[in-house]
Amino acid sequence: MTAAQSSVTTAALVLEDGTTYRGRAYGATGTTFGEIVFSTGMTGYQETLTDPSYHRQIVVMTAPHVGNTGVNDEDPESGRIWVSGYVVRDPARRVSNWRAQRSLGEELAAQGVVGISDIDTRALTRRLREEGVMRAGIFSGDDLVRGGYPRPVEELVAEVQASPQMAGANLAPEVSTKEAYTVEPAGEHAGRTPVATVVAVDLGIKAMTPARLAERGVRVVVVPQSSTIDDVLGAFAGLPDDAPRGVFFSNGPGDPGAAAHEIELLRAVLDRRIPFFGICFGNQLLGRALGYGTYKLGYGHRGINQPVLDRTTGKVEVTAHNHGFAVDAPVVDDAGAPAVSQAPYDASRDDAGRTDGGRYGRVVVSHVGLNDQVVEGLTCLDLPAFSVQYHPEAAAGPHDAAYLFDRFVGLLTNPAAWPPALKTQPSAAAPAAAQNNTEENH
């Protein structure tokens, strides 16, 4: 892989179904593979590129013009670009922003990220919506030629089809921190006694997440994905017995069904009734720890403009998303009201099919995606635990969901007030099929 040589270097994007798009190399030249997904965000490309949740994915930007504000050293959400490839229609010809330190193309090339530009991203996005996300490869420069002649498309397709699938991939160990570190209270809380101590398990955490907790007076101890329950409890050593404490599971890449270690760790947290909050991948892992299934969405939710209903407030939030898997939990009951289900894990059924309280008790879907009724949040009614599927740290994105960090601090400092009550019900006119959380609807 070499740095981009010129703006006219030929590139090809090849999907595993054989569909091929020809364009120009953007960033580095060479070959890259990944699951190809699209993001509907019109801004925040630097945060998207450095989000570890995009590990082993080729990201297509639906916004046609990308790169205007260049790249700076302040906005990255991690220490590197994680996307495996980048697809844009019209890269900016020049940077125009007072904070810019270099162009986006230069940054992609410097970090060895193979990209492609000058293709019809609208047509590509429509294909992914209709056929679902799939594996893809970007080939450019010398990698498109063999013996002085263009390589056959069939050969490129075969390489794409031989690349790894996202389903079944256990990727959190590849993006997690190797060493624990601490983020102290910040802003008006700097230098003060923390209002709580939270152990954040890094499954691909974005830098803004512990910053959001720190600005609320929380000391955040970020620990590796491989941490055990003893490691988590050890981070609380030395705290007074009545000091508020909790555990947080971050966003991250991969298939939640492959995260056996993280699920067992989370069950150990729930068994000890330690207050828990999870986002994105953390939401999926809470679902699996409680005994619900997860499934792969047809094309996922990615971008900063996804509408979600918070059933505890009745408000609709515009939220930032990046997920290709979802939790399969009951959204509504037979009467069309929010379903309260028993967590299936370690529960028993009687002859009538009813389940007992099981190990973790009652659970409700607290947040619902309004585009497709996907589960966007879980709240445990008999445990101090909740999660959401999206990104309340809003980097990039709207700040509608910032209150969730306040909700977590409230759970830590006033657990007696848990759980929040539901205030909304779906429309009685909504057909049950439209409310059903199944793969066919996505």
Side-chain angles (χ1 to χ4, degrees):
M1 184 183 300
T2 60
Q5 298 170 358
S6 73
S7 61
V8 295
T9 302
T10 302
L13 170 66
V14 180
L15 307 187
E16 69 173 287
D17 65 1
T19 305
T20 301
Y21 301 85
R22 300 282 179 174
R24 296 182 175 186
Y26 183 52
T29 58
T31 299
T32 191
F33 301 102
E35 179 184 62
I36 188 164
V37 301
F38 61 87
S39 171
T40 58
M42 296 184 68
T43 186
Y45 57 79
Q46 193 169 341
E47 292 89 341
T48 295
L49 289 166
T50 56
D51 179 351
S53 299
Y54 282 112
H55 179 42
R56 263 179 44 183
Q57 291 183 318
I58 296 173
V59 175
V60 180
M61 299 300 291
T62 60
H65 198 52
V66 178
N68 298 49
T69 56
V71 172
N72 60 58
D73 293 330
E74 301 169 10
D75 293 343
E77 285 298 308
S78 66
R80 53 165 283 192
I81 292 176
W82 282 101
V83 305
S84 61
Y86 203 48
V87 183
V88 301
R89 178 173 176 174
D90 297 317
R93 296 181 181 180
R94 63 179 61 87
V95 173
S96 179
N97 187 271
W98 66 274
R99 299 173 65 227
Q101 294 169 284
R102 53 199 169 275
S103 72
L104 176 56
E106 291 170 340
E107 185 73 359
L108 293 171
Q111 296 202 35
V113 179
V114 176
I116 185 172
S117 68
D118 294 81
I119 71 167
D120 188 346
T121 51
R122 182 176 181 181
L124 173 58
T125 299
R126 290 184 66 178
R127 184 158 193 83
L128 297 178
R129 281 179 57 91
E130 293 167 0
E131 303 298 330
V133 298
M134 60 188 81
R135 290 169 294 176
I138 302 175
F139 306 84
S140 59
D142 293 341
D143 286 10
L144 272 177
V145 180
R146 187 180 67 229
Y149 294 92
R151 295 176 63 191
V153 171
E154 294 78 13
E155 184 178 299
L156 304 179
V157 173
E159 288 192 16
V160 171
Q161 293 175 345
S163 63
Q165 299 266 13
M166 184 59 70
N170 183 21
L171 300 182
E174 298 180 14
V175 302
S176 179
T177 182
K178 304 305 179 187
E179 301 290 339
Y181 61 92
T182 301
V183 179
E184 296 289 351
E188 64 182 73
H189 298 277
R192 299 181 183 177
T193 300
V195 300
T197 298
V198 167
V199 174
V201 180
D202 178 5
L203 309 175
I205 200 167
K206 296 170 69 177
M208 189 57 72
T209 303
R212 294 294 188 213
L213 289 168
E215 67 190 18
R216 288 165 169 79
V218 176
R219 171 182 288 139
V220 185
V221 182
V222 183
V223 300
Q225 162 274 341
S226 59
S227 298
T228 65
I229 187 62
D230 289 337
D231 295 327
V232 170
L233 298 176
F236 299 136
L239 294 178
D241 291 342
D242 60 348
R245 65 201 71 192
V247 172
F248 172 84
F249 271 26
S250 77
N251 59 292
D255 185 342
H261 168 76
E262 294 89 332
I263 293 169
E264 288 306 310
L265 172 59
L266 181 47
R267 285 177 179 155
V269 170
L270 299 178
D271 289 341
R272 289 164 174 77
R273 302 188 67 83
I274 302 171
F276 171 81
F277 178 34
I279 68 170
C280 201
F281 198 54
N283 175 69
Q284 297 161 16
L285 295 181
L286 177 60
R288 294 195 70 92
L290 295 172
Y292 300 104
T294 52
Y295 62 97
K296 200 169 191 310
L297 293 165
Y299 50 83
H301 300 168
R302 296 174 182 88
I304 58 177
N305 53 0
Q306 305 281 340
V308 169
L309 173 65
D310 179 354
R311 287 168 152 181
T312 66
T313 63
K315 295 180 179 179
V316 176
E317 309 160 10
V318 179
T319 58
H321 288 227
N322 173 17
H323 66 109
F325 293 84
V327 176
D328 188 10
V331 176
V332 294
D333 60 21
D334 293 339
V340 177
S341 59
Q342 298 290 339
Y345 184 73
D346 211 15
S348 60
R349 290 181 177 271
D350 60 21
D351 293 338
R354 296 183 295 263
T355 59
D356 62 18
R359 190 158 161 181
Y360 298 129
R362 299 167 298 154
V363 181
V364 67
V365 174
S366 55
H367 296 73
V368 180
L370 296 182
N371 286 333
D372 50 16
Q373 300 298 311
V374 164
V375 172
E376 297 291 351
L378 299 169
T379 292
C380 296
L381 303 183
D382 300 311
L383 288 174
F386 74 110
S387 59
V388 292
Q389 183 57 69
Y390 47 93
H391 288 255
E393 82 284 344
H399 292 192
D400 294 21
Y403 71 92
L404 289 164
F405 292 109
D406 297 317
R407 183 174 292 180
F408 187 35
V409 173
L411 172 59
L412 297 171
T413 58
N414 186 22
W418 190 262
L422 296 186
K423 297 182 180 179
T424 67
Q425 292 188 358
S427 168
Q435 305 276 353
N436 191 26
N437 186 26
T438 64
E439 171 67 10
E440 286 76 16
N441 289 332
H442 313 304

